Amino acid sequence: MTHSRIKNLFAPFFPTEDGKPSAAVAYALPLADWAKAHLTIRALAIHHNTPYSFASSIAASFVMPDNEHQSKLAEQAIETLRNELKSSGRAHDMAVSQQTCSALTELVGFQGRLHDLTVIDNAPEFLQPGRALVEELLFHTGRPIIVVPADGASFSAKRIFISWDGSAHAARALNDALPFLAQADYVEIACVVDEKDLSRLVPGAEVAPQLARHGVAVTISDLKAIDGDAGKALRARARDVTADLLVMGAYVHSRWRQLVFGGVTNSMLHHTEIPILMSH
């Protein structure tokens, strides 16, 4: 299996006040080249509605300038990218989408289902605008995402580290990562053995023969949680092997409220130093 399986990439982003380029878009551009994929970029701008009340005209005097400002930021970001890509020869399209937060989240989820992979800026804090996008893409699209840390990272998938616990979520992430694994120089599967009962889950050693049939040679390692934090152990090992991409399944605490990530997932999003390919 080769990376030709990735044909459509999606990279939505919120422009920043300082005009700093989106880490996700910067990552997605060379990834699209690597995969020879079409890249869809959307600059997102939040539109705030004014209430229908006696004071609506006063509210509008505050809200409308901000809406215009957000639109201008998005337009400027897209214009910069258009100039950058003008002579690149990349297959791409880009546009500005300005809607309410809920409408933008719905739009991003819809587009996520139409693409093979979405690259998104990390939003580890609950109240960050991009947090709802990460959740929507993870839990409601059926597609994998790559979460890129704010400090940015150049696209590379030569050394891949896989967090494995034998669950269905981990298996889906592993399968979604196959286009990258098939091209990697080094792949390691690690399991935190003291984090949960693994007796009924698929051990990492059983995965190695399956990957070998895809031409992927893997190293298997067992880890112990550090200070009770499995995520800390995984991050430490990822640093030790100089991984440039981490693969893991995404977890939530409950079925009824998917806004609360599981412990390891939350830990990784809060402290990751490298891009994470995640599936649910």
Side-chain angles (χ1 to χ4, degrees), residues 114-249:
L114 300 178
H115 291 77
D116 302 315
L117 175 67
T118 296
V119 183
I120 187 86
D121 290 301
N122 191 19
E125 302 300 332
F126 180 74
L127 295 178
Q128 286 182 266
R131 173 66 176 246
L133 304 186
V134 172
E135 291 168 357
E136 181 71 16
L137 289 163
L138 266 178
F139 303 126
H140 301 294
T141 65
R143 295 286 195 269
I145 69 173
I146 292 181
V147 181
V148 182
D151 291 341
S154 298
F155 167 71
S156 177
K158 293 296 185 182
R159 300 182 65 81
I160 301 177
F161 183 71
I162 302 165
S163 170
W164 179 258
D165 67 358
S167 67
H169 301 308
R172 174 171 289 183
L174 187 66
N175 185 71
D176 288 337
L178 276 174
F180 301 100
L181 299 176
Q183 303 295 316
D185 294 332
Y186 177 84
V187 177
E188 179 167 322
I189 297 178
C191 181
V192 182
V193 295
D194 55 349
E195 184 212 0
K196 62 179 72 171
D197 179 9
L198 303 175
S199 60
R200 299 183 62 188
L201 300 173
V202 178
E206 295 294 327
V207 179
Q210 307 300 320
L211 289 177
R213 296 186 186 104
H214 287 280
V216 181
V218 301
T219 297
I220 309 295
S221 62
D222 290 335
L223 307 176
K224 290 187 177 181
I226 298 175
D227 300 326
D229 186 344
K232 186 180 290 188
L234 292 167
R235 291 192 299 276
R237 182 59 184 169
R239 285 193 296 270
D240 288 344
V241 301
T242 61
D244 49 39
L245 180 66
L246 193 148
V247 175
M248 65 181 295

Side-chain angles (χ1 to χ4, degrees), residues 1 7 9 27 29 33 39 42 62 67 70 97 101 103 128 131 136 141 143 171 178 193 224 245 262:
M1 186 172 297
K7 294 295 186 181
L9 286 175
Y27 187 90
L29 291 171
D33 289 341
L39 176 61
R42 290 291 179 268
F62 292 99
N67 286 341
Q70 297 302 318
S97 296
C101 284
Q128 286 182 266
R131 173 66 176 246
E136 181 71 16
T141 65
R143 295 286 195 269
L178 276 174
V193 295
K224 290 187 177 181
L245 180 66

